[in-house]
Amino acid sequence: MTAAVSRSGTRVERLPLSRFTTLGVGGEAEVWFVTSHDALAEAMERPYRILGGGSNLVIADAGVPERVLRLSGPLAERDLTPDPLLSTPARVVTGWVGGGVPLPGLVRQLQKLGLSGLEGTVGIPAQVGGAVWMNAGTRYGEMFDGLHTIELVTPEGTRQVTPDDLPWGYRQSGIPRNHVVSRVRLALTVSTPDAVLAKMDFADQARRGQPKMKTPGCAFKNPGGVSAGQLIDEAGLKGTRIGNALIAPEHANFIVNLGGATAADVHALLDTVRARVKVPLELEYELWPGQAEP
Ligand code: FAD
Ligand code: EPU
C-alpha cells in the first residue's frame, strides 16, 4: 500500500516495523502517523497498538494485524517553558511534552537548562510515552522521578493523572496496555548544567559494558534486585547463538542481532535462557503480536 490519508488527515502507510525497532526485526503493519487528538480518536476506532521508540520490542516476522500508532507532529514536540502558576524558584513544572519526543534529546536539553530529574535515564533510546509506560530507568533514576501530569488517551476519551494516581514501580507504570501516553508535564528540580552533567556522566558509566549492536536492551527484568545478566552469565550462556541472534558476550541480558536475525531466533534464545537459569525470570521485552511469555 502506498501512503494514504485518512478522514482526519492522518498519513497511513503499510511499512516494515523492523524500520522502527532497535533490534531491526519485525514484519509489516499499517502505520498511522497520528499528529493530534482527533487523529488518535480516529485511529482508535479499530484495534490498535502503540509504537514508541521500538526499543523494547520483538515483533514477529509476519508483522501485526492491528493498526500501529506512531505519535508524530505536535505529539512529538516539547514545550519546556516553566508554568508560572505551578513552578517555584526551586522547582520547574514544564508545559506539555509529547509522548513521541525522543527521550535522549530531551535529557540532553534538560541538562543544558540545568534542570534535574531525568538524568538517570541517560542512554535509554525510548520515546517519552514508551519510557513513561514502562517507567524506564536505571539504578540512578527513572521516568517517574520527573513527572507532574500524564495525559492518557483511550477510545473512551482523554484524562489526566498524576504519578500518585498510579501503582508505579520498577519497570512498570501501572498504566493499562493501549492507554496512549499522549503528553506529559515534567516536574524538575532547579540545578545547574554542570551538576546535572556530572550525574548524567555517572549514570552513563554503567553502560560501558553494554553491547553496541542492534538490540532491544535487557531481555529480562532483574529478579528481586539480582542482575538477570549475572544469572544468565553464570549459566554459561554468553555467546550462545541461534540463527543470527546472539546472547551478547559483553552482557548476558542483552540479545543482539548479528544481521538478518528473525523474531523466531530471539524467541528460541529466550526459551534457552529460561530452560537453563534456575531462577524464574520475567520478560522485560514485549513480544508482538503475542503477549504470552515464551
Ligand atoms: P516501545 O519499545 O516502542 O514500546 C514498548 C511498550 O511501550 C509497548 O507496550 C508500547 O505499546 C508502549 N508504548 C510506547 N509508546 C507509548 C505511548 N506513547 N503510550 C503508551 N504506551 C506506549 N530500559 C530501561 O528501563 N533502562 C535502561 O537502562 C535501558 N537501556 C536500554 C538500552 C538499549 C541499547 C536499548 C535498545 C533499550 C534499553 N532499554 C532500557 C529498554 C527500552 O528503552 C525501554 O523499555 C523503553 O521504555 C521502551 O520505550 P519505547 O518508547 O522504545 O517503547
Ligand atoms: N553481570 C555479570 N555478567 C553479565 C552482566 C552483568 O556478571 O553478563 C554483573 C556485573 O558484573 C555487575 C552486576 O551483574 O556486578 C550488575 O550488572 P549491570 O551494572 O550491567 O546492571 P544490570 O542489573 O545487569 C541494569 C538494568 C539496565 C541498566 C543497567 C545500568 C535491568 C534488567 N537492567 O542492568 O537496564 O541499563 O542496570 O543501570 O534492570 C534495560 O532495562 O533494558 C536495561 C538495559
Short mmCIF file of all heavy atoms in Angstrom, two decimals, residues 20 22-23 49-57 69-71 99-100 103 120-138 143 152 170-171 175-183 207 210-211 213-218 254 284 286 288 291, ligand 1:
data_model
loop_
_atom_site.label_atom_id
_atom_site.label_comp_id
_atom_site.label_asym_id
_atom_site.label_seq_id
_atom_site.Cartn_x
_atom_site.Cartn_y
_atom_site.Cartn_z
N PHE A 20 11.40 0.49 12.59
CA PHE A 20 11.11 1.30 13.78
C PHE A 20 11.61 0.66 15.07
O PHE A 20 11.31 1.13 16.14
CB PHE A 20 9.59 1.51 13.91
CG PHE A 20 8.98 2.23 12.74
CD1 PHE A 20 8.38 1.52 11.71
CD2 PHE A 20 9.02 3.61 12.67
CE1 PHE A 20 7.81 2.18 10.64
CE2 PHE A 20 8.46 4.28 11.60
CZ PHE A 20 7.85 3.56 10.57
N THR A 22 14.78 -1.05 17.53
CA THR A 22 16.23 -1.03 17.72
C THR A 22 16.85 -2.41 17.46
O THR A 22 18.04 -2.50 17.21
CB THR A 22 16.59 -0.57 19.15
OG1 THR A 22 15.91 -1.41 20.08
CG2 THR A 22 16.20 0.89 19.39
N LEU A 23 16.01 -3.47 17.51
CA LEU A 23 16.50 -4.81 17.17
C LEU A 23 16.60 -4.98 15.66
O LEU A 23 17.34 -5.81 15.15
CB LEU A 23 15.57 -5.87 17.77
CG LEU A 23 15.86 -7.34 17.48
CD1 LEU A 23 17.21 -7.76 18.08
CD2 LEU A 23 14.76 -8.25 18.00
N ARG A 49 -2.25 -0.82 18.22
CA ARG A 49 -1.13 -0.90 19.14
C ARG A 49 -0.41 0.42 19.08
O ARG A 49 -0.49 1.11 18.07
CB ARG A 49 -0.13 -1.99 18.73
CG ARG A 49 -0.66 -3.38 18.87
CD ARG A 49 0.29 -4.36 18.21
NE ARG A 49 -0.27 -5.69 18.27
CZ ARG A 49 -0.02 -6.58 19.24
NH1 ARG A 49 0.84 -6.28 20.20
NH2 ARG A 49 -0.59 -7.75 19.23
N ILE A 50 0.34 0.72 20.14
CA ILE A 50 1.07 1.98 20.12
C ILE A 50 2.57 1.69 20.10
O ILE A 50 3.06 0.90 20.91
CB ILE A 50 0.63 2.90 21.28
CG1 ILE A 50 1.55 4.12 21.42
CG2 ILE A 50 0.52 2.19 22.60
CD1 ILE A 50 1.20 5.22 20.51
N LEU A 51 3.23 2.30 19.15
CA LEU A 51 4.68 2.09 18.97
C LEU A 51 5.41 3.35 19.41
O LEU A 51 5.07 4.45 18.98
CB LEU A 51 4.95 1.84 17.48
CG LEU A 51 6.39 1.74 17.02
CD1 LEU A 51 7.03 0.47 17.53
CD2 LEU A 51 6.45 1.75 15.49
N GLY A 52 6.40 3.17 20.29
CA GLY A 52 7.21 4.32 20.70
C GLY A 52 8.53 4.29 19.95
O GLY A 52 8.56 4.27 18.72
N GLY A 53 9.62 4.24 20.71
CA GLY A 53 10.94 4.18 20.09
C GLY A 53 11.29 2.78 19.61
O GLY A 53 12.37 2.57 19.04
N GLY A 54 10.42 1.81 19.84
CA GLY A 54 10.68 0.43 19.39
C GLY A 54 11.90 -0.18 20.06
O GLY A 54 12.52 -1.09 19.53
N SER A 55 12.22 0.30 21.27
CA SER A 55 13.46 -0.15 21.90
C SER A 55 13.25 -1.22 22.96
O SER A 55 14.18 -1.57 23.68
CB SER A 55 14.21 1.04 22.51
OG SER A 55 13.45 1.66 23.53
N ASN A 56 12.01 -1.74 23.04
CA ASN A 56 11.76 -2.85 23.96
C ASN A 56 10.92 -3.93 23.28
O ASN A 56 10.27 -4.71 23.94
CB ASN A 56 11.04 -2.33 25.22
CG ASN A 56 11.14 -3.29 26.37
OD1 ASN A 56 12.19 -3.88 26.61
ND2 ASN A 56 10.04 -3.49 27.08
N LEU A 57 10.95 -3.95 21.95
CA LEU A 57 10.01 -4.80 21.21
C LEU A 57 10.71 -5.87 20.38
O LEU A 57 11.72 -5.59 19.72
CB LEU A 57 9.19 -3.94 20.24
CG LEU A 57 8.27 -2.88 20.87
CD1 LEU A 57 7.59 -2.08 19.77
CD2 LEU A 57 7.24 -3.53 21.77
N LEU A 69 0.09 2.75 15.90
CA LEU A 69 0.05 4.21 16.03
C LEU A 69 1.42 4.74 16.37
O LEU A 69 2.09 4.22 17.28
CB LEU A 69 -0.93 4.60 17.14
CG LEU A 69 -2.41 4.62 16.83
CD1 LEU A 69 -2.89 3.41 16.06
CD2 LEU A 69 -3.21 4.80 18.12
N ARG A 70 1.80 5.78 15.67
CA ARG A 70 3.10 6.40 15.92
C ARG A 70 2.85 7.90 16.15
O ARG A 70 2.28 8.58 15.29
CB ARG A 70 3.96 6.18 14.68
CG ARG A 70 5.30 6.79 14.77
CD ARG A 70 6.37 5.73 14.88
NE ARG A 70 7.66 6.36 14.74
CZ ARG A 70 8.71 6.05 15.44
NH1 ARG A 70 8.67 5.10 16.33
NH2 ARG A 70 9.85 6.68 15.26
N LEU A 71 3.22 8.39 17.33
CA LEU A 71 2.95 9.79 17.66
C LEU A 71 3.93 10.69 16.89
O LEU A 71 5.14 10.50 16.96
CB LEU A 71 3.09 10.03 19.17
CG LEU A 71 2.20 9.16 20.06
CD1 LEU A 71 2.40 9.50 21.54
CD2 LEU A 71 0.74 9.30 19.68
N GLY A 99 4.29 12.60 23.81
CA GLY A 99 4.71 11.21 24.04
C GLY A 99 5.66 10.73 22.96
O GLY A 99 6.43 9.79 23.17
N GLY A 100 5.64 11.37 21.79
CA GLY A 100 6.52 10.94 20.69
C GLY A 100 7.89 11.59 20.70
O GLY A 100 8.70 11.36 19.79
N LEU A 103 13.48 10.46 23.96
CA LEU A 103 13.97 10.73 25.31
C LEU A 103 15.42 11.22 25.36
O LEU A 103 15.73 12.16 26.10
CB LEU A 103 13.79 9.47 26.18
CG LEU A 103 14.18 9.58 27.64
CD1 LEU A 103 13.35 10.62 28.38
CD2 LEU A 103 14.05 8.22 28.34
N GLY A 120 19.01 10.33 35.20
CA GLY A 120 19.30 8.91 35.44
C GLY A 120 18.86 8.03 34.29
O GLY A 120 19.27 6.87 34.20
N THR A 121 18.04 8.57 33.39
CA THR A 121 17.57 7.76 32.25
C THR A 121 18.47 7.94 31.03
O THR A 121 18.11 7.48 29.93
CB THR A 121 16.12 8.15 31.85
OG1 THR A 121 16.14 9.49 31.32
CG2 THR A 121 15.16 8.08 33.02
N VAL A 122 19.61 8.57 31.21
CA VAL A 122 20.52 8.81 30.07
C VAL A 122 20.83 7.48 29.36
O VAL A 122 21.02 6.45 30.01
CB VAL A 122 21.82 9.52 30.54
CG1 VAL A 122 22.61 8.66 31.51
CG2 VAL A 122 22.67 9.94 29.36
N GLY A 123 20.82 7.54 28.05
CA GLY A 123 21.19 6.36 27.27
C GLY A 123 20.04 5.43 26.95
O GLY A 123 20.23 4.41 26.30
N ILE A 124 18.83 5.75 27.38
CA ILE A 124 17.67 4.89 27.07
C ILE A 124 17.05 5.38 25.76
O ILE A 124 16.54 6.51 25.70
CB ILE A 124 16.63 4.91 28.22
CG1 ILE A 124 17.27 4.40 29.52
CG2 ILE A 124 15.41 4.08 27.85
CD1 ILE A 124 16.37 4.41 30.74
N PRO A 125 17.10 4.56 24.69
CA PRO A 125 16.70 5.07 23.37
C PRO A 125 15.20 5.01 23.11
O PRO A 125 14.74 4.55 22.07
CB PRO A 125 17.48 4.15 22.42
CG PRO A 125 17.59 2.86 23.17
CD PRO A 125 17.63 3.20 24.63
N ALA A 126 14.41 5.47 24.09
CA ALA A 126 12.95 5.38 24.03
C ALA A 126 12.35 6.69 23.55
O ALA A 126 13.04 7.69 23.38
CB ALA A 126 12.42 5.07 25.43
N GLN A 127 11.03 6.67 23.36
CA GLN A 127 10.27 7.91 23.29
C GLN A 127 9.70 8.17 24.69
O GLN A 127 9.54 7.23 25.49
CB GLN A 127 9.13 7.80 22.29
CG GLN A 127 9.60 7.74 20.85
CD GLN A 127 8.44 7.73 19.86
OE1 GLN A 127 7.27 7.65 20.23
NE2 GLN A 127 8.78 7.80 18.59
N VAL A 128 9.34 9.42 24.93
CA VAL A 128 8.83 9.78 26.25
C VAL A 128 7.63 8.89 26.64
O VAL A 128 7.58 8.36 27.75
CB VAL A 128 8.44 11.28 26.28
CG1 VAL A 128 7.60 11.60 27.51
CG2 VAL A 128 9.70 12.13 26.24
N GLY A 129 6.69 8.68 25.71
CA GLY A 129 5.49 7.90 26.04
C GLY A 129 5.82 6.46 26.40
O GLY A 129 5.29 5.92 27.37
N GLY A 130 6.71 5.84 25.65
CA GLY A 130 7.10 4.45 25.92
C GLY A 130 7.88 4.36 27.23
O GLY A 130 7.70 3.42 28.01
N ALA A 131 8.73 5.35 27.49
CA ALA A 131 9.52 5.34 28.72
C ALA A 131 8.62 5.55 29.93
O ALA A 131 8.85 4.96 30.99
CB ALA A 131 10.59 6.42 28.66
N VAL A 132 7.56 6.35 29.78
CA VAL A 132 6.61 6.52 30.89
C VAL A 132 5.84 5.22 31.07
O VAL A 132 5.69 4.72 32.20
CB VAL A 132 5.65 7.70 30.61
CG1 VAL A 132 4.51 7.71 31.62
CG2 VAL A 132 6.42 9.02 30.65
N TRP A 133 5.39 4.63 29.97
CA TRP A 133 4.56 3.42 30.08
C TRP A 133 5.30 2.31 30.81
O TRP A 133 4.72 1.54 31.58
CB TRP A 133 4.11 2.95 28.69
CG TRP A 133 3.07 1.90 28.81
CD1 TRP A 133 1.74 2.06 29.10
CD2 TRP A 133 3.28 0.48 28.74
NE1 TRP A 133 1.12 0.84 29.21
CE2 TRP A 133 2.03 -0.15 28.99
CE3 TRP A 133 4.40 -0.31 28.49
CZ2 TRP A 133 1.87 -1.52 28.99
CZ3 TRP A 133 4.24 -1.70 28.49
CH2 TRP A 133 2.98 -2.28 28.74
N MET A 134 6.62 2.20 30.59
CA MET A 134 7.45 1.15 31.21
C MET A 134 8.08 1.63 32.51
O MET A 134 8.77 0.88 33.17
CB MET A 134 8.64 0.82 30.29
CG MET A 134 8.36 -0.01 29.10
SD MET A 134 8.20 -1.72 29.57
CE MET A 134 9.84 -2.06 30.21
N ASN A 135 7.96 2.93 32.82
CA ASN A 135 8.80 3.56 33.84
C ASN A 135 10.25 3.11 33.64
O ASN A 135 10.88 2.53 34.53
CB ASN A 135 8.33 3.26 35.27
CG ASN A 135 9.13 4.08 36.28
OD1 ASN A 135 9.73 5.11 35.93
ND2 ASN A 135 9.15 3.62 37.51
N ALA A 136 10.77 3.42 32.47
CA ALA A 136 12.15 3.05 32.15
C ALA A 136 13.10 3.76 33.11
O ALA A 136 12.81 4.86 33.59
CB ALA A 136 12.48 3.46 30.71
N GLY A 137 14.21 3.13 33.39
CA GLY A 137 15.17 3.76 34.28
C GLY A 137 16.40 2.93 34.50
O GLY A 137 16.60 1.88 33.88
N THR A 138 17.21 3.41 35.41
CA THR A 138 18.41 2.70 35.83
C THR A 138 18.46 2.84 37.35
O THR A 138 17.56 3.46 37.94
CB THR A 138 19.69 3.35 35.25
OG1 THR A 138 19.81 4.67 35.80
CG2 THR A 138 19.63 3.44 33.73
N MET A 143 11.86 7.35 35.01
CA MET A 143 10.96 8.36 34.43
C MET A 143 10.07 9.01 35.47
O MET A 143 9.81 10.21 35.42
CB MET A 143 10.06 7.72 33.36
CG MET A 143 10.66 7.59 32.01
SD MET A 143 11.52 9.04 31.39
CE MET A 143 10.18 10.12 30.91
N LEU A 152 -3.55 10.64 29.27
CA LEU A 152 -3.81 9.32 28.70
C LEU A 152 -4.99 9.39 27.76
O LEU A 152 -6.02 9.99 28.09
CB LEU A 152 -4.13 8.33 29.83
CG LEU A 152 -3.04 8.09 30.88
CD1 LEU A 152 -3.56 7.18 31.98
CD2 LEU A 152 -1.80 7.49 30.23
N TYR A 170 9.33 -0.59 39.79
CA TYR A 170 10.45 -0.98 38.92
C TYR A 170 9.93 -1.47 37.57
O TYR A 170 9.20 -2.46 37.51
CB TYR A 170 11.26 -2.07 39.63
CG TYR A 170 12.25 -2.81 38.76
CD1 TYR A 170 13.37 -2.18 38.24
CD2 TYR A 170 12.06 -4.16 38.47
CE1 TYR A 170 14.28 -2.87 37.45
CE2 TYR A 170 12.97 -4.87 37.68
CZ TYR A 170 14.07 -4.21 37.17
OH TYR A 170 14.96 -4.89 36.38
N ARG A 171 10.24 -0.74 36.52
CA ARG A 171 9.87 -1.08 35.14
C ARG A 171 8.36 -1.26 34.95
O ARG A 171 7.93 -2.05 34.12
CB ARG A 171 10.57 -2.35 34.67
CG ARG A 171 12.09 -2.29 34.68
CD ARG A 171 12.63 -1.40 33.58
NE ARG A 171 14.05 -1.58 33.40
CZ ARG A 171 15.00 -1.00 34.15
NH1 ARG A 171 14.68 -0.15 35.10
NH2 ARG A 171 16.29 -1.23 33.89
N ILE A 175 0.03 1.91 34.13
CA ILE A 175 -0.88 2.39 33.08
C ILE A 175 -1.30 1.17 32.25
O ILE A 175 -0.44 0.43 31.77
CB ILE A 175 -0.18 3.43 32.18
CG1 ILE A 175 0.23 4.65 33.00
CG2 ILE A 175 -1.09 3.84 31.00
CD1 ILE A 175 1.15 5.62 32.26
N PRO A 176 -2.61 0.94 32.08
CA PRO A 176 -3.03 -0.25 31.33
C PRO A 176 -2.54 -0.21 29.89
O PRO A 176 -2.31 0.87 29.33
CB PRO A 176 -4.56 -0.18 31.38
CG PRO A 176 -4.87 0.70 32.54
CD PRO A 176 -3.74 1.69 32.62
N ARG A 177 -2.38 -1.40 29.31
CA ARG A 177 -1.95 -1.52 27.92
C ARG A 177 -2.92 -0.77 27.01
O ARG A 177 -4.13 -0.75 27.23
CB ARG A 177 -1.95 -3.00 27.56
CG ARG A 177 -1.38 -3.32 26.20
CD ARG A 177 -1.24 -4.83 26.06
NE ARG A 177 -0.34 -5.40 27.05
CZ ARG A 177 0.99 -5.26 27.01
NH1 ARG A 177 1.57 -4.59 26.03
NH2 ARG A 177 1.74 -5.78 27.96
N ASN A 178 -2.36 -0.18 25.97
CA ASN A 178 -3.13 0.53 24.94
C ASN A 178 -3.83 1.80 25.44
O ASN A 178 -4.70 2.33 24.77
CB ASN A 178 -4.10 -0.39 24.21
CG ASN A 178 -3.35 -1.22 23.16
OD1 ASN A 178 -2.15 -1.05 22.98
ND2 ASN A 178 -4.05 -2.08 22.47
N HIS A 179 -3.47 2.25 26.65
CA HIS A 179 -3.78 3.63 27.03
C HIS A 179 -2.61 4.44 26.47
O HIS A 179 -1.45 4.21 26.85
CB HIS A 179 -3.78 3.80 28.55
CG HIS A 179 -5.04 3.34 29.21
ND1 HIS A 179 -5.64 2.14 28.93
CD2 HIS A 179 -5.81 3.94 30.15
CE1 HIS A 179 -6.73 2.02 29.67
NE2 HIS A 179 -6.85 3.10 30.41
N VAL A 180 -2.87 5.35 25.58
CA VAL A 180 -1.77 6.08 24.94
C VAL A 180 -1.32 7.24 25.84
O VAL A 180 -2.14 8.07 26.24
CB VAL A 180 -2.20 6.62 23.56
CG1 VAL A 180 -1.11 7.49 22.97
CG2 VAL A 180 -2.51 5.46 22.63
N VAL A 181 -0.03 7.26 26.17
CA VAL A 181 0.56 8.42 26.86
C VAL A 181 0.80 9.46 25.78
O VAL A 181 1.77 9.39 25.02
CB VAL A 181 1.88 8.03 27.56
CG1 VAL A 181 2.53 9.25 28.20
CG2 VAL A 181 1.65 6.92 28.59
N SER A 182 -0.14 10.38 25.65
CA SER A 182 -0.07 11.34 24.54
C SER A 182 0.86 12.51 24.86
O SER A 182 1.57 12.99 23.98
CB SER A 182 -1.47 11.86 24.21
OG SER A 182 -2.14 12.20 25.40
N ARG A 183 0.84 12.95 26.11
CA ARG A 183 1.70 14.08 26.51
C ARG A 183 1.95 13.99 28.02
O ARG A 183 1.14 13.40 28.75
CB ARG A 183 0.99 15.42 26.26
CG ARG A 183 0.53 15.64 24.85
CD ARG A 183 -0.05 17.03 24.65
NE ARG A 183 -1.23 17.26 25.45
CZ ARG A 183 -1.89 18.41 25.51
NH1 ARG A 183 -1.48 19.45 24.78
NH2 ARG A 183 -2.97 18.57 26.26
N ARG A 207 26.84 1.98 31.56
CA ARG A 207 26.53 1.43 30.23
C ARG A 207 27.78 0.99 29.48
O ARG A 207 27.67 0.46 28.38
CB ARG A 207 25.84 2.50 29.39
CG ARG A 207 24.53 2.82 29.94
CD ARG A 207 23.71 3.65 29.01
NE ARG A 207 22.43 3.83 29.62
CZ ARG A 207 21.46 2.92 29.58
NH1 ARG A 207 21.59 1.83 28.89
NH2 ARG A 207 20.33 3.13 30.21
N GLN A 210 27.76 -2.45 28.08
CA GLN A 210 26.61 -2.90 27.27
C GLN A 210 26.98 -2.95 25.79
O GLN A 210 27.75 -2.13 25.32
CB GLN A 210 25.41 -1.97 27.51
CG GLN A 210 24.92 -2.00 28.95
CD GLN A 210 23.70 -1.12 29.21
OE1 GLN A 210 23.22 -0.42 28.31
NE2 GLN A 210 23.23 -1.15 30.43
N PRO A 211 26.41 -3.94 25.05
CA PRO A 211 26.79 -4.08 23.64
C PRO A 211 26.29 -2.91 22.81
O PRO A 211 25.29 -2.28 23.13
CB PRO A 211 26.09 -5.37 23.22
CG PRO A 211 24.99 -5.56 24.19
CD PRO A 211 25.42 -4.93 25.46
N MET A 213 25.55 -3.23 19.52
CA MET A 213 24.86 -3.70 18.30
C MET A 213 23.35 -3.52 18.42
O MET A 213 22.84 -3.09 19.45
CB MET A 213 25.20 -5.17 18.08
CG MET A 213 26.68 -5.38 17.84
SD MET A 213 27.03 -7.11 17.67
CE MET A 213 26.46 -7.38 16.00
N LYS A 214 22.61 -3.91 17.34
CA LYS A 214 21.15 -3.80 17.35
C LYS A 214 20.57 -4.72 18.42
O LYS A 214 20.85 -5.93 18.42
CB LYS A 214 20.59 -4.22 15.99
CG LYS A 214 20.84 -3.21 14.90
CD LYS A 214 20.19 -3.66 13.61
CE LYS A 214 20.29 -2.57 12.56
NZ LYS A 214 19.65 -2.98 11.31
N THR A 215 19.76 -4.17 19.30
CA THR A 215 19.23 -4.92 20.45
C THR A 215 18.01 -4.20 21.01
O THR A 215 17.88 -3.00 20.84
CB THR A 215 20.32 -5.01 21.55
OG1 THR A 215 19.76 -5.58 22.73
CG2 THR A 215 20.89 -3.65 21.93
N PRO A 216 17.11 -4.94 21.68
CA PRO A 216 16.04 -4.25 22.41
C PRO A 216 16.38 -4.07 23.90
O PRO A 216 15.50 -4.08 24.75
CB PRO A 216 14.83 -5.18 22.24
CG PRO A 216 15.36 -6.43 21.60
CD PRO A 216 16.85 -6.38 21.59
N GLY A 217 17.64 -3.94 24.26
CA GLY A 217 18.01 -3.73 25.66
C GLY A 217 17.97 -5.04 26.43
O GLY A 217 18.15 -6.12 25.87
N CYS A 218 17.73 -4.93 27.75
CA CYS A 218 17.75 -6.13 28.59
C CYS A 218 16.52 -7.00 28.31
O CYS A 218 15.40 -6.51 28.23
CB CYS A 218 17.77 -5.75 30.07
SG CYS A 218 19.41 -5.26 30.62
N PHE A 254 21.57 -9.11 27.29
CA PHE A 254 21.29 -8.47 26.00
C PHE A 254 21.36 -9.51 24.89
O PHE A 254 22.33 -10.26 24.80
CB PHE A 254 22.33 -7.38 25.68
CG PHE A 254 22.14 -6.09 26.42
CD1 PHE A 254 22.45 -5.98 27.77
CD2 PHE A 254 21.66 -4.95 25.77
CE1 PHE A 254 22.29 -4.79 28.46
CE2 PHE A 254 21.50 -3.76 26.45
CZ PHE A 254 21.81 -3.67 27.79
N GLU A 284 11.36 -8.71 30.13
CA GLU A 284 11.22 -7.24 30.02
C GLU A 284 10.78 -6.87 28.60
O GLU A 284 9.98 -5.96 28.41
CB GLU A 284 12.53 -6.53 30.38
CG GLU A 284 12.40 -5.02 30.27
CD GLU A 284 13.56 -4.24 30.86
OE1 GLU A 284 13.96 -4.53 32.00
OE2 GLU A 284 14.06 -3.33 30.17
N GLU A 286 8.81 -6.84 25.13
CA GLU A 286 7.43 -7.13 24.76
C GLU A 286 7.45 -7.85 23.42
O GLU A 286 8.17 -7.42 22.50
CB GLU A 286 6.67 -5.82 24.66
CG GLU A 286 5.21 -6.04 24.82
CD GLU A 286 4.49 -4.74 25.01
OE1 GLU A 286 4.70 -4.07 26.04
OE2 GLU A 286 3.73 -4.40 24.12
N TRP A 288 5.49 -8.93 20.14
CA TRP A 288 4.30 -8.66 19.31
C TRP A 288 4.21 -9.74 18.26
O TRP A 288 5.24 -10.07 17.67
CB TRP A 288 4.44 -7.29 18.64
CG TRP A 288 4.15 -6.12 19.53
CD1 TRP A 288 4.00 -6.12 20.89
CD2 TRP A 288 4.01 -4.74 19.11
NE1 TRP A 288 3.78 -4.83 21.33
CE2 TRP A 288 3.77 -3.98 20.27
CE3 TRP A 288 4.06 -4.09 17.87
CZ2 TRP A 288 3.58 -2.59 20.22
CZ3 TRP A 288 3.88 -2.73 17.82
CH2 TRP A 288 3.63 -1.99 18.99
N GLN A 291 1.39 -11.63 23.70
CA GLN A 291 1.92 -11.15 24.97
C GLN A 291 2.29 -12.33 25.87
O GLN A 291 2.77 -12.13 26.97
CB GLN A 291 0.91 -10.24 25.68
CG GLN A 291 0.65 -8.95 24.92
CD GLN A 291 1.93 -8.25 24.49
OE1 GLN A 291 2.93 -8.29 25.19
NE2 GLN A 291 1.92 -7.64 23.32
P1 FAD B 1 8.44 0.67 22.57
O1 FAD B 1 9.57 -0.31 22.61
O2 FAD B 1 8.08 1.23 21.26
O3 FAD B 1 7.15 0.00 23.23
C1 FAD B 1 7.25 -0.65 24.47
C2 FAD B 1 5.87 -0.64 25.12
O4 FAD B 1 5.51 0.72 25.41
C3 FAD B 1 4.76 -1.18 24.22
O5 FAD B 1 3.77 -1.80 25.04
C4 FAD B 1 4.16 0.05 23.62
O6 FAD B 1 2.82 -0.14 23.20
C5 FAD B 1 4.25 1.00 24.80
N1 FAD B 1 4.26 2.40 24.37
C6 FAD B 1 5.13 3.02 23.55
N2 FAD B 1 4.81 4.31 23.41
C7 FAD B 1 3.70 4.50 24.15
C8 FAD B 1 2.87 5.62 24.42
N3 FAD B 1 3.09 6.83 23.88
N4 FAD B 1 1.80 5.44 25.24
C9 FAD B 1 1.54 4.24 25.80
N5 FAD B 1 2.29 3.15 25.59
C10 FAD B 1 3.35 3.28 24.77
N6 FAD B 1 15.16 0.33 29.62
C11 FAD B 1 15.33 0.72 30.88
O7 FAD B 1 14.34 0.79 31.64
N7 FAD B 1 16.57 1.04 31.36
C12 FAD B 1 17.67 1.02 30.58
O8 FAD B 1 18.75 1.32 31.05
C13 FAD B 1 17.51 0.63 29.22
N8 FAD B 1 18.57 0.60 28.38
C14 FAD B 1 18.38 0.25 27.08
C15 FAD B 1 19.49 0.28 26.22
C16 FAD B 1 19.32 -0.06 24.89
C17 FAD B 1 20.52 -0.01 23.97
C18 FAD B 1 18.05 -0.43 24.40
C19 FAD B 1 17.85 -0.75 22.94
C20 FAD B 1 16.94 -0.45 25.25
C21 FAD B 1 17.12 -0.13 26.60
N9 FAD B 1 16.05 -0.15 27.49
C22 FAD B 1 16.22 0.26 28.77
C23 FAD B 1 14.72 -0.67 27.06
C24 FAD B 1 13.76 0.38 26.46
O9 FAD B 1 14.46 1.53 26.03
C25 FAD B 1 12.69 0.78 27.48
O10 FAD B 1 11.89 -0.34 27.82
C26 FAD B 1 11.74 1.87 26.98
O11 FAD B 1 10.83 2.21 27.99
C27 FAD B 1 10.95 1.50 25.72
O12 FAD B 1 10.33 2.68 25.23
P2 FAD B 1 9.93 2.85 23.69
O13 FAD B 1 9.45 4.23 23.50
O14 FAD B 1 11.06 2.43 22.83
O15 FAD B 1 8.72 1.85 23.61
#
